[in-house]
Amino acid sequence: MHRNARQQKILEIITLKEIDTQEELCAELNKLNFNVTQATISRDIKDLKLYKVNGTEKKYRYACLESEDDSVNGKIRTLFRECVQTINFANNIIVIKTLRGNGSTAGVFVDSLQFKEIIGSIAGDDTLLIVVDTNENTARIADKLREYII
């Protein structure tokens, strides 16, 4: 099956069911005759910009950032505001400290902003490291990010 069909099915599955692991998503797709591996699912999750939110039946579930549902965009912004503890910078590096387990959640939000000055970011358990194109732009980007936690 083609990638687009598979990715459409992924969006359908996560809308209908609480899926909290790549393995579970892989199993659901295999039941529907999509022969996929966990590596394929991992790429699809990245392509679709899926992230985890709190579930009702399970601890977490996948959700789509680019959903037509504005509440999802509002949720990721709220998650960012609630999980960020500090935003500091030095030279062209911004370091965002978060509550444990929320480094990648902060990264999803920052990536969604698509600031052209941000070259890239990498998330750990409780830290998001952001590389900015110039030292001069770093303070301005850090200030913009701080506006989202007020």
Side-chain angles (χ1 to χ4, degrees), residues 39-95:
T40 300
I41 295 302
S42 181
R43 282 189 298 275
D44 286 341
I45 287 170
K46 185 177 181 186
D47 288 349
L48 292 168
K49 297 185 172 118
L50 301 185
Y51 65 99
K52 288 188 177 183
V53 296
N54 288 331
T56 51
E57 298 165 20
K58 298 181 179 183
K59 189 170 182 173
Y60 299 106
R61 67 176 177 84
Y62 281 107
C64 181
L65 181 62
E66 294 188 348
S67 167
E68 293 173 11
D69 180 1
D70 282 338
S71 70
V72 172
N73 290 328
K75 283 179 189 172
I76 192 68
R77 175 182 260 172
T78 300
L79 284 170
F80 181 77
R81 184 178 64 244
E82 291 177 359
C83 78
V84 170
Q85 295 184 311
T86 61
I87 299 176
N88 293 301
F89 65 91
N91 298 318
N92 70 323
I93 306 283
I94 298 172
V95 177

